[in-house]
Amino acid sequence: MLSGPQPLGQILKEVIERWGLRGRIDAVHIIETWAALAGPQINRVTDSAWVRDRKLYVRLTSAAWRHTLHLQREQWCARLNEALGDRLVDEIVFK
């Protein structure tokens, strides 16, 4: 039984939770936020990025960039979570 009108945002939130879409939506948000933080230089050498088990995986085509980013991974993870406004990523793995 409906209790009356509800805000659209609340309805969408309920649908997302009911259909189990929160993880996929978070993954897209994480990858988009990473791309924005990384900037054009890093994006040029990024082959792909994906999220699994609260880890962001970034495949790079440059060994030099991979090494540099690996050494800075904790700082990047902190910056990413800050930009996301929540701790959605526990670790960034550069491959």
Side-chain angles (χ1 to χ4, degrees):
M1 179 174 205
L2 296 175
S3 62
Q6 292 183 338
L8 182 58
Q10 180 61 34
I11 293 170
L12 287 174
K13 191 179 207 179
E14 290 172 13
V15 168
I16 288 168
E17 297 304 324
R18 186 176 304 135
W19 289 0
L21 299 174
R22 173 57 44 209
R24 288 183 182 183
I25 291 170
D26 285 348
V28 169
H29 186 56
I30 290 166
I31 292 167
E32 288 177 347
T33 304
W34 163 255
L37 279 178
Q41 266 192 319
I42 296 171
N43 287 328
R44 274 195 290 277
V45 296
T46 298
D47 182 53
S48 59
W50 66 96
V51 178
R52 185 180 301 133
D53 299 328
R54 298 181 55 93
K55 290 182 185 178
L56 171 63
Y57 294 86
V58 181
R59 185 177 315 250
L60 301 163
T61 59
S62 165
W65 271 110
R66 185 170 40 256
H67 178 72
T68 299
L69 293 172
H70 175 76
L71 294 175
Q72 301 169 349
R73 67 190 179 281
E74 290 178 12
Q75 295 91 332
W76 278 105
C77 191
R79 286 181 60 200
L80 179 59
N81 282 317
E82 183 179 335
L84 291 166
D86 198 359
R87 184 164 173 86
L88 298 178
V89 176
D90 292 331
E91 183 180 354
I92 300 177
V93 178
F94 297 101
K95 298 179 136 252

